[in-house]
Structure formats: structure tokens, C-alpha cells
């Protein structure tokens, strides 16, 4: 019996030691993988800004990003700082804006756009390219030196609009009566539950702020593309731009090209061989 307990406790101790060693080893591996380090940026590198990514106000940390394909999600402040840093970084030769869609709002898009305009004062290049370029993506992209779209893609130019859903009639059919409290004619957040269409007050205020945004969009585009706002507005009203070729015809973009042609232009600007690898 005494021999049994001796063997039992020895085995228990060895298992405990094994799990402790394994635990500390795992902590060390995870700590090493998740440790933050400054990236090694080769010379003649290009900073890539993907407008399709939504940049929140603050960075979202992902401590296990090194264990997967993901990583920290930069916030808007970080994106602007990165562009400002790239302006003075001798190893970064330019910026590539991936401009298919834009997952960011008007204010955030304007911050990125202004940062790109400031970056261009360094005489470094900014090239924007998209297969399917939305108006939101184009608002940022037209701050670039060159704007290109895939010849078989799409370029969106139809002006601004907004749509609201109204569910009052559905609630009436379901015999649901929402309890709504609001004060003032211009309090429109609950209209979808209490009316079947926009009230005159809501239509007025929506028209004002939507037209302000659209006017700013046209003004900035006019400055960048040297096309007067009246022409830009007419192109949208008449739906004159149906293809990337139409956008090129009316000087809204600089060319229709495929992705490999964009990469070739990068290499020519950087002065590297056609078979050399780009540092993006």
C-alpha cells in the first residue's frame, strides 16, 4: 500500500509539472506572436489605403492577430497619422488608394482626402484605382494624382439621394401600437412608426443637409478635376456616365486600365524592373 501511494504521488507530481511547463511554454509562444514590433519598410515602398475598410474612431486591438490572418484595425486617427508619417518617410515613395467602395462616412472620408492632398505636397505620387468605383470612393480618390478604373468595371456618377422606410401600415395590420414620445415638428427619428411618408418638416431638413453634402462633393471634385460644378451636376442629372469610358470622356478619371497595368506604372515610377516585386 505504501508503495502504491508513493508511485501515485510521483505520477501526480510529474503530470502537474508537465502541465505547468506546457502552460508557461504556451504563454511564451503567444506573447512572442502577439508582441508588437516596428515594421521593416524597404526602400521604394508604397503605402496602401483600402477605402473599403471601415475605419472607426479608435483603433481596435486584436491581441491574437498574429495567430491568424487578421491584426489590429487602425482607427481614423491612426490612418491620418500613417499618411502624415509616409509624407516624410524616405522609404515610402507613394500611396496606392484601393477605391472600389468606401466603408466610411462623409466626415471620415473628408479627413482621409485632406490627408492625401497634404501628402501630395511632398511631391510623392498618389494613384487611385478601382474595379467598381462608387461615388464615396471617388470623393476620396479624386484627390490623387491619377484616377484609374477597370475598363470592364463600373463608375458611379448619379448624384446623392436618400430613402426612408415607413412601417406604420404594417404595424396597423398587425394591430401593434407603438408608444412614441417626441417634441417639435423637426423630430423625425420616429416618423417611420407614426407616418406613412415624410413630413414637410423632415423633407425640408433632409433636403438642406443632403444638398449641402452634394454641393461640397461637386466643389471638391471641380477643384481636383478642373470641371465646373454645373457640368458635373448635369452629368449626374442626365445619367450621361454609364461606363468608365464615359467617365474618361468627361475628364472625371485619367484612364481605363487593368490591375496589372497599374502595377507596371508603379514600377516605372519607382524605377525598378518589370520582374521586380513591389513592396506594398
Amino acid at each position: 500500500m505504501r508503495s502504491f501511494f508513493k508511485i501515485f504521488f510521483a505520477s501526480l507530481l510529474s503530470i502537474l509539472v508537465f502541465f505547468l511547463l506546457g502552460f508557461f511554454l504556451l504563454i511564451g509562444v503567444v506573447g512572442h506572436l502577439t508582441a508588437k514590433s516596428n515594421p521593416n519598410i524597404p526602400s521604394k515602398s508604397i503605402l496602401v489605403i483600402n477605402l473599403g475598410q471601415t475605419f472607426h474612431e479608435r483603433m481596435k486591438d486584436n491581441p491574437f492577430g498574429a495567430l491568424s490572418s487578421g491584426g489590429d484595425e487602425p482607427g481614423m486617427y491612426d490612418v491620418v497619422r500613417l499618411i502624415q508619417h509616409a509624407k516624410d518617410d524616405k522609404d515610402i515613395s507613394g500611396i496606392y488608394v484601393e477605391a472600389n467602395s468606401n466603408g466610411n462616412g462623409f466626415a471620415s472620408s473628408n479627413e482621409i482626402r485632406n490627408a492625401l492632398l497634404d501628402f501630395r505636397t511632398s511631391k510623392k505620387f498618389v494613384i487611385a484605382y478601382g474595379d467598381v468605383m462608387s461615388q464615396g470612393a471617388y470623393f476620396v480618390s479624386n484627390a490623387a494624382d491619377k484616377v484609374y478604373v477597370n475598363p470592364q468595371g463600373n463608375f458611379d456618377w448619379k448624384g446623392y439621394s436618400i430613402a426612408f422606410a415607413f412601417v406604420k401600415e404594417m404595424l396597423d395590420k398587425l394591430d401593434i401600437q407603438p408608444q412614441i414620445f417626441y417634441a417639435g415638428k423637426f423630430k423625425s427619428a420616429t416618423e417611420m412608426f407614426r407616418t406613412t411618408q415624410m413630413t414637410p418638416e423632415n423633407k425640408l431638413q433632409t433636403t438642406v443637409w443632403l444638398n449641402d453634402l452634394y454641393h461640397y462633393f461637386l466643389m471638391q471634385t471641380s477643384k481636383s478635376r478642373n470641371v465646373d460644378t454645373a457640368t458635373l451636376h448635369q452629368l449626374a442629372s442626365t445619367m450621361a456616365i454609364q461606363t468608365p469610358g464615359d467617365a474618361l470622356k468627361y475628364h472625371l478619371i485619367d484612364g481605363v486600365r487593368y490591375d496589372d497595368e497599374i502595377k507596371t506604372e508603379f514600377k516605372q515610377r519607382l524605377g525598378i524592373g518589370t520582374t521586380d516585386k513591389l513592396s506594398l
Side-chain angles (χ1 to χ4, degrees), residues 1-171:
M1 194 67 177
R2 188 175 177 182
S3 176
F4 168 78
F5 282 112
K6 186 177 181 180
I7 297 174
F8 172 78
F9 285 115
S11 301
L12 184 63
L13 180 62
S14 63
I15 293 173
L16 181 62
V17 171
F18 173 78
F19 276 109
L20 285 174
L21 289 175
F23 174 76
F24 288 115
L25 180 63
L26 178 63
I27 291 296
V29 171
V30 172
H32 174 72
L33 290 175
T34 59
K36 297 182 183 294
S37 59
N38 292 327
N40 180 27
I41 302 177
S43 61
K44 298 184 178 181
S45 293
I46 300 174
L47 174 64
V48 180
I49 305 292
N50 181 8
L51 295 179
Q53 181 178 352
T54 301
F55 301 116
H56 300 281
E57 184 177 353
R58 307 177 73 175
M59 176 182 286
K60 288 188 174 182
D61 292 329
N62 182 7
F64 299 102
L67 298 174
S68 62
S69 59
D72 292 344
E73 296 182 11
M76 179 53 57
Y77 174 69
D78 304 294
V79 173
V80 173
R81 277 200 311 163
L82 283 170
I83 297 174
Q84 292 172 344
H85 175 81
K87 176 183 177 182
D88 301 317
D89 192 325
K90 61 180 178 59
D91 293 321
I92 297 180
S93 301
I95 291 180
Y96 172 32
V97 181
E98 293 183 346
N100 289 302
S101 61
N102 188 351
N104 303 281
F106 295 102
S108 297
S109 297
N110 198 45
E111 288 293 324
I112 299 175
R113 189 178 190 279
N114 288 336
L116 292 176
L117 289 173
D118 178 67
F119 177 87
R120 287 182 57 184
T121 62
S122 66
K123 306 304 180 183
K124 298 179 180 181
F125 66 83
V126 180
I127 292 180
Y129 174 76
D131 293 313
V132 180
M133 189 174 291
S134 67
Q135 286 185 135
Y138 181 68
F139 171 65
V140 179
S141 299
N142 63 38
D145 300 288
K146 299 292 182 181
V147 183
Y148 300 118
V149 180
N150 190 307
Q152 301 301 319
N154 184 58
F155 182 84
D156 188 21
W157 188 265
K158 60 180 183 295
Y160 284 3
S161 64
I162 190 168
F164 293 102
F166 295 88
V167 299
K168 184 180 184 302
E169 291 184 349
M170 181 190 72
L171 296 178

